[in-house]
Every structure is written in structure tokens, then in C-alpha cells.
């Protein structure tokens, strides 16, 4: 079955370390997105990519980096510059005009800084 | 500013009772509107969407939503809630072509037996 796979489901990081969250999709979707979810704040857009080798900053890109070398993959790196990285991270993708179909979401990665 | 507001952070209803979750948007025209549901520790599942046509939209799991232009609202409803409906519900919108999905803060639904 097609879908979005995020790994790992839980991730622990020491302060000062970079960590990379994986997002893979086999839906043949062109666009991919990373959102951060904090309690009571909904989902906030970190980065998005509409085509391979191109990506744009979202509303809260500081302290994060991404790459889009393959259509299927959109990894997110949380750098040591991110002041408060503990959160639930959701990857999504969309087909064609997302106004028509919305986004498809992965099951998320919970990152905890220890 | 373009935004989506969900006024209720938590709602508790009895099993079998009706449900209405509120959503308001701030935008000069009619956006594309969506309702998503999230079970704890999981991703988001699309319940329904609206852009034009009939203002009462049917979705999955027995949910429906009504668009009211005069109130800039897109409230989610269900006639009879089941315990399995306990989850967090997000209203979202795409305001313009090329813009991204903007989410409300979410409403946590608790179902009591």
C-alpha cells in the first residue's frame, strides 16, 4: 500500500547534537512538507518542497535544514541551533493541486531532547 | 492576517450525544477548508473538505461540516458520538493557490460513557 513512512517513531537527542528525521513516500507525490506540532499550537510549517532539488522555508525554519535529492525522500535535520526542539514532527505530501486533495500525513516522529 | 481559529481547546461529550466543533477563518474570500482527525501519537487523517457547491459536506466516519460564509465558519458535526471518536480534531485551510495548509490549534474531544 502507498503511504508516507516516518522513522524513527521516537528519537532522543542530547543537547548540542544534530539529528535527522526520515520521511519517505511511495505515493509519487511531487510536493512534501514538514510540520512541527506542539500542544495547543496546532501544526506549524517548517519547510516544504514542490519539486526535487528545490525547497522553501516555512513559518518556523530557523534551526532546521532539509534536502530533496529524490522525489520519494525529504529528510529533516534538527540542528543544535534549534532552541526548543522537543516536539512531534509530521511529514506530509500532496498530489497535484493540494486544494483538491489535501495533504497525506505520515505517523510522525516524537523528538525529545535529554 | 490569514488564519484559522478553533475556539474550543477541549470538548467533552457523552457517548451517543451530538457533537459540534467550531472553526472560523480569517480571509477575504472563500478558502479551501479541511477537517482532519488525529489519534494520539499518530498522523492526521482527512475527514472532509469544502470549496464550493453544497455548503453541507459529508465526510468519513459519519462526520459532516457546514460552511457558512456570513459567519466565516466551517463547523464539524456528528449526530451521535462513539467512544472511538475521542481524538484531536484540526480545522485547516488553503487560502490562495500556491499557499500552504494553515491549521487551527486543534480541539481535543473526550467521550464519556
Amino acid at each position: 500500500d502507498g503511504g508516507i513512512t516516518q522513522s524513527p517513531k521516537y528519537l532522543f537527542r542530547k543537547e548540542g547534537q544534530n539529528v535527522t528525521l526520515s520521511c519517505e513516500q511511495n505515493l509519487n507525490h511531487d510536493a512534501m512538507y514538514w510540520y512541527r506540532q506542539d500542544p495547543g499550537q496546532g501544526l506549524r510549517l517548517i519547510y516544504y518542497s514542490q519539486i526535487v532539488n528545490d525547497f522553501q522555508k516555512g513559518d518556523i525554519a530557523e534551526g532546521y535544514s532539509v534536502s530533496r535529492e529524490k522525489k520519494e525522500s525529504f529528510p529533516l535535520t534538527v540542528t543544535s541551533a534549534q532552541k526548543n526542539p522537543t516536539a512531534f514532527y509530521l511529514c506530509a505530501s500532496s498530489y497535484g493541486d493540494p486544494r483538491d486533495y489535501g495533504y497525506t500525513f505520515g505517523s510522525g516522529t516524537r523528538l525529545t531532547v535529554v | 492576517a490569514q488564519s484559522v481559529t478553533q475556539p474550543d481547546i477541549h470538548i467533552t461529550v457523552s457517548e451517543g450525544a451530538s457533537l459540534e466543533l467550531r472553526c472560523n477563518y480569517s480571509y477575504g474570500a472563500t478558502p479551501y477548508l479541511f477537517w482532519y482527525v488525529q489519534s494520539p501519537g499518530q498522523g492526521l487523517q482527512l475527514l472532509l473538505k469544502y470549496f464550493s457547491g453544497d455548503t453541507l459536506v459529508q465526510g468519513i466516519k459519519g462526520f459532516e461540516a457546514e460552511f457558512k460564509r456570513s459567519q466565516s465558519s466551517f463547523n464539524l458535526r456528528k449526530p451521535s458520538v462513539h467512544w472511538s471518536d475521542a481524538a484531536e480534531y484540526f480545522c485547516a485551510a488553503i487560502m490562495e493557490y500556491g499557499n500552504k495548509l494553515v491549521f487551527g490549534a486543534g480541539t481535543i474531544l473526550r467521550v464519556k460513557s
Side-chain angles (χ1 to χ4, degrees):
Chain A
D1 288 339
I4 298 178
T5 301
Q6 290 189 242
S7 61
K9 190 170 181 64
Y10 299 96
L11 190 57
F12 296 88
R13 188 195 89 174
K14 292 183 178 180
E15 282 194 32
Q17 288 181 338
N18 292 354
V19 63
T20 297
L21 283 59
S22 171
C23 177
E24 303 278 335
Q25 55 101 357
N26 60 2
L27 300 166
N28 200 34
H29 287 180
D30 290 312
M32 297 186 73
Y33 313 83
W34 273 106
Y35 282 89
R36 170 180 171 139
Q37 183 178 11
D38 296 282
Q41 297 192 48
L43 280 72
R44 294 178 291 168
L45 183 64
I46 305 172
Y47 268 98
Y48 64 98
S49 168
Q50 294 178 308
I51 56 172
V52 175
N53 292 324
D54 188 48
F55 49 83
Q56 286 78 40
K57 293 181 179 180
D59 300 319
I60 56 165
E62 184 175 354
Y64 300 97
S65 65
V66 294
S67 63
R68 187 85 186 278
E69 298 177 359
K70 299 186 302 181
K71 186 175 185 178
E72 301 80 13
S73 179
F74 191 41
L76 173 74
T77 297
V78 184
T79 75
S80 57
Q82 169 50 236
K83 299 305 179 188
N84 184 23
T86 295
F88 191 54
Y89 291 87
L90 284 160
C91 179
S93 67
S94 65
Y95 170 78
D97 188 339
R99 296 178 299 176
D100 294 324
Y101 303 104
Y103 294 1
T104 300
F105 284 85
S107 58
T109 293
R110 184 165 299 282
L111 173 64
T112 303
V113 174
V114 297
Chain B
Q2 300 169 355
S3 63
V4 176
T5 302
Q6 293 179 248
D8 304 304
I9 298 174
H10 296 98
I11 281 186
T12 300
V13 299
S14 298
E15 191 168 13
S18 63
L19 170 70
E20 183 170 30
L21 302 181
R22 296 184 292 164
C23 172
N24 294 96
Y25 64 88
S26 174
Y27 182 54
T30 300
Y32 286 71
L33 294 159
F34 305 82
W35 274 101
Y36 284 87
V37 61
Q38 182 183 36
S39 297
Q42 298 298 314
L44 276 66
Q45 180 182 22
L46 180 65
L47 288 175
L48 46 79
K49 67 180 180 72
Y50 171 81
F51 174 65
S52 64
D54 192 344
T55 57
L56 187 61
V57 181
Q58 301 299 318
I60 63 172
K61 302 178 185 252
F63 285 92
E64 64 180 26
E66 185 173 15
F67 171 70
K68 292 186 177 180
R69 185 190 309 273
S70 61
Q71 299 177 18
S72 298
S73 69
F74 187 55
N75 293 350
L76 183 71
R77 304 195 297 236
K78 188 169 186 178
S80 177
V81 170
H82 187 262
W83 64 266
S84 61
D85 293 323
E88 189 162 14
Y89 292 80
F90 291 94
C91 183
I94 296 177
M95 309 293 183
E96 297 172 350
Y97 176 75
N99 281 20
K100 306 302 157 279
L101 201 55
V102 175
F103 287 86
T107 298
I108 296 173
L109 172 65
R110 298 182 178 130
V111 180
K112 60 181 180 180
S113 56

